[in-house]
Amino acid sequence: FLNSNKFYYADDGYVGTNFERPAFKLLIEDIRNKKINCIIVKDLSRFGRDYIEVNNYLDKVFPILNVRFISINDNYDSIKNKNCTVDLDISFKNILYSYYSKDLSKKVKSGLISKAKEGKNIASFGVFGYTRNKETKKLEINPETAPIVEMIFNLVENGHTRSEVCKILNAQNIPTKSEYNIKNGIRKSYVRKVENKVWKIIDIHRILNDETYIGTTINFKMKTIKPGCSKRMKNYERDIIKIENTHEPIVSKETFERVKAKKRTQKRNNISKNIF
């Protein structure tokens, strides 16, 4: 926010080792637009925790742009060592901040792996059809959405294709996952996206292939491409942690397997109908 000639930048929820942060990008843009000529931080770790990048900004970028940099707790003021490289103690502090961040990341991941092996759900939210108990970290059946999941499995088991299931759900105005989450304020990030009120084949596909519905807790199914990056990709099968019989199932294992078998049959039939 703006107060007189002072600008404040904060990247809450973003890791310091990543410089692809919204507020940081805005800061650099404002510097290039000549709005900023001095940066003040509590300590160097507030600016960033990648010692190579931080030193690069202090030693090369800011001097070229005529920007003064002050770190209060580190007793650093760039105007005192103008036209000089960054002091050794400042470089050493940057290295410590960087390694502290990496060490903390390893400890957090180790703790999450331990919880996953105990059958606890480490995701922030429950899978569609469940709610996540914040105390036990276990999944509990959601009376509103679980019947929808059960209905989808029953329709496919009775011979309906995924496309037909979508038409049935849409005809009955049954809310989709994103629509339900927006309505109940479960994930505020959905509000910034186009509200999905229509069931799609991919939605049905994900539900039919999710072993969570037979009582299995699945963790580390996805991983971030880079620390602090919102983009995610599928994890290797060997890194996925699955623990069976951790919560009440919505469908039986027999139903789950029958639906999988029907899906393979439907796929073979579609291939035989269209040789191209």
Side-chain angles (χ1 to χ4, degrees):
F1 57 90
L2 174 63
N3 178 17
S4 183
N5 62 341
K6 299 180 182 67
F7 296 85
Y8 298 83
Y9 304 85
D11 278 310
D12 292 333
Y14 287 84
V15 65
T17 53
N18 175 32
F19 282 82
E20 295 296 315
R21 310 191 306 261
F24 181 81
K25 287 183 175 181
L26 179 60
L27 168 67
I28 299 301
E29 184 181 340
D30 287 345
I31 290 172
R32 296 187 188 281
N33 292 331
K34 309 297 182 182
K35 289 184 180 179
I36 304 293
N37 61 7
C38 179
I39 299 172
I40 302 175
V41 296
K42 179 184 175 183
D43 56 54
L44 289 167
S45 67
R46 299 300 91 200
F47 180 73
R49 292 195 173 189
D50 183 328
Y51 71 93
I52 295 176
E53 283 294 325
V54 172
N55 279 1
N56 182 56
Y57 276 102
L58 296 181
D59 198 25
K60 298 177 181 178
V61 178
F62 293 151
I64 292 173
L65 297 173
N66 294 316
V67 174
R68 182 180 179 182
F69 189 93
I70 298 172
S71 176
I72 298 170
N73 287 355
D74 298 307
N75 195 29
Y76 175 80
D77 186 346
S78 61
I79 205 168
K80 293 179 181 179
N81 59 329
K82 195 173 182 180
N83 300 323
C84 298
T85 56
V86 176
D87 292 340
L88 182 61
D89 60 335
I90 296 299
S91 296
F92 185 67
K93 282 183 179 180
N94 281 331
I95 293 172
L96 287 179
Y97 289 139
S98 177
Y99 275 93
Y100 172 78
S101 181
K102 290 176 181 177
D103 183 57
L104 185 63
S105 176
K106 287 180 181 178
K107 288 178 179 177
V108 169
K109 188 174 181 180
S110 177
L112 291 175
I113 290 172
S114 296
K115 289 179 180 178
K117 288 180 177 179
E118 292 172 8
K120 294 180 179 178
N121 186 281
I122 63 172
S124 301
F125 308 95
V127 178
F128 186 70
Y130 288 98
T131 55
R132 180 177 179 270
N133 188 308
K134 292 182 180 179
E135 294 182 3
T136 63
K137 306 294 188 288
K138 300 280 186 177
L139 295 178
E140 298 175 352
I141 285 182
N142 184 327
E144 281 189 71
T145 55
I148 301 172
V149 174
E150 194 173 3
M151 177 185 177
I152 291 169
F153 275 93
N154 288 336
L155 286 170
V156 175
E157 189 177 17
N158 290 328
H160 290 280
T161 64
R162 285 173 290 175
S163 177
E164 290 170 346
V165 172
C166 289
K167 290 178 182 178
I168 292 170
L169 295 175
N170 291 326
Q172 296 183 22
N173 293 318
I174 293 175
T176 61
K177 176 183 176 180
S178 60
E179 190 180 1
Y180 175 82
N181 287 342
I182 291 170
K183 178 185 173 184
N184 293 277
I186 295 174
R187 292 191 68 172
K188 295 179 181 179
S189 60
Y190 278 129
V191 178
R192 296 194 293 269
K193 300 178 182 178
V194 177
E195 190 172 337
N196 178 21
K197 291 187 176 182
V198 180
W199 283 91
K200 300 173 184 176
I201 291 176
I202 187 63
D203 300 325
I204 307 302
H205 174 80
R206 285 170 179 163
I207 288 174
L208 296 178
N209 285 276
D210 197 337
E211 294 177 48
T212 304
Y213 299 117
I214 58 173
T216 301
T217 294
I218 308 170
N219 288 304
F220 300 110
K221 198 161 39 174
M222 305 293 289
K223 67 176 178 180
T224 52
I225 298 172
K226 290 181 180 179
C229 180
S230 59
K231 293 182 179 179
R232 307 184 78 199
M233 61 183 290
K234 285 186 178 180
N235 217 336
Y236 292 111
E237 189 68 31
R238 66 173 182 270
D239 296 322
I240 298 172
I241 297 177
K242 295 182 182 181
I243 307 295
E244 296 182 355
N245 305 318
T246 56
H247 54 267
E248 186 180 350
I250 293 176
V251 297
S252 66
K253 291 182 180 179
E254 293 75 20
T255 298
F256 189 83
E257 291 302 324
R258 281 196 296 268
V259 166
K260 280 181 70 175
K262 278 190 174 292
K263 189 179 68 173
R264 286 193 293 267
T265 304
Q266 288 173 355
K267 190 174 181 180
R268 284 197 298 269
N269 290 340
N270 288 336
I271 292 171
S272 63
K273 287 178 184 177
N274 185 358
I275 61 172
F276 300 106

